[in-house]
Amino acid sequence: MYTVPDTDDTCRRLLWNWHLAIRICHKAHIKAAAFLHRSNRRFGVPVVILSTVTGASVFATIESSPDVRIRIAVGLVSVTAGVLAGLQTFLGHADRAETHRVAAQRYGALRRELEEVLHTCTDLTVLPEGYLADIRMRWDEIDKDSPSLSQALYERVARSVRKKRESGGEFGVLSSPPIV
């Protein structure tokens, strides 16, 4: 179990490091949700278009007996629409996007709480007993409930957040954290 460190500086450094890690997770889940949402649309739009074209083509082929090439083309469009619809369902981009969105929301709430403490408490050694343990347990719970992130996405976001933090751009007019 974590106890409040004996000096304000030690506690502040720990909370800023936790804030950094939580911010990275928050932003990475936002990016994952956005990517999956776009991917779902990339599959969904062609499925709708191809299904519509296939449906209209089937009625046209029933009315007249076109040559075999048109029937084959209609069949290929129909199969393509079916394959894309199957992939869209199998990949589950919409559901996965939602789980990443929920994870981002939870990480964001925890991040904002840490920011509030870091920017309003003048002496962090007076934090309530068990406060750090509570933060750590809630963070662990969010980690456990959240979908995995690709290592490449996590590292890309981590580089971006660290670069912004080092330049002092992440926190605006608020005091910037120590870089440890």
Side-chain angles (χ1 to χ4, degrees):
M1 180 162 135
Y2 285 99
T3 57
V4 178
D6 57 350
T7 67
D8 178 74
D9 188 51
T10 304
C11 187
R12 195 168 296 278
R13 193 172 14 259
L14 173 67
L15 289 178
W16 275 118
N17 286 334
W18 284 6
H19 174 268
L20 175 66
I22 291 168
R23 185 171 193 85
I24 291 167
C25 290
H26 176 217
K27 288 186 171 235
H29 280 287
I30 288 171
K31 288 189 178 295
F35 171 79
L36 290 166
H37 181 73
R38 284 190 310 271
S39 294
N40 187 54
R41 287 196 184 274
R42 281 189 200 118
F43 275 101
V45 170
V47 165
V48 170
I49 291 170
L50 292 174
S51 297
T52 303
V53 167
T54 301
S57 300
V58 166
F59 284 115
T61 58
I62 291 173
E63 294 284 324
S64 62
S65 54
D67 70 25
V68 175
R69 289 178 290 193
I70 292 177
R71 289 182 188 179
I72 290 172
V74 169
L76 287 174
V77 169
S78 177
V79 168
T80 303
V83 167
L84 287 176
L87 278 173
Q88 185 179 26
T89 301
F90 174 74
L91 294 173
H93 286 150
D95 294 336
R96 291 172 50 212
E98 179 62 15
T99 60
H100 281 287
R101 188 193 65 74
V102 168
Q105 218 171 25
R106 293 178 69 197
Y107 280 115
L110 190 59
R111 176 189 55 80
R112 287 185 295 277
E113 180 181 334
L114 284 176
E115 286 172 357
E116 182 180 3
V117 168
L118 286 164
H119 294 298
T120 59
C121 292
T122 55
D123 182 6
L124 295 176
T125 60
V126 297
L127 289 173
E129 186 174 332
Y131 179 76
L132 294 180
D134 178 62
I135 292 288
R136 183 188 44 80
M137 286 189 308
R138 288 189 295 154
W139 183 5
D140 289 346
E141 188 69 22
I142 296 169
D143 278 345
K144 183 179 72 116
D145 295 343
S146 298
S148 297
L149 294 164
S150 75
Q151 190 67 32
L153 173 62
Y154 183 88
E155 288 172 1
R156 187 170 61 249
V157 171
R159 276 191 306 275
S160 170
V161 169
R162 285 188 180 108
K163 182 178 179 182
K164 197 169 188 179
R165 181 179 185 184
E166 289 168 2
S167 70
E170 181 179 347
F171 301 100
V173 297
L174 300 173
S175 61
S176 62
I179 298 174
V180 276

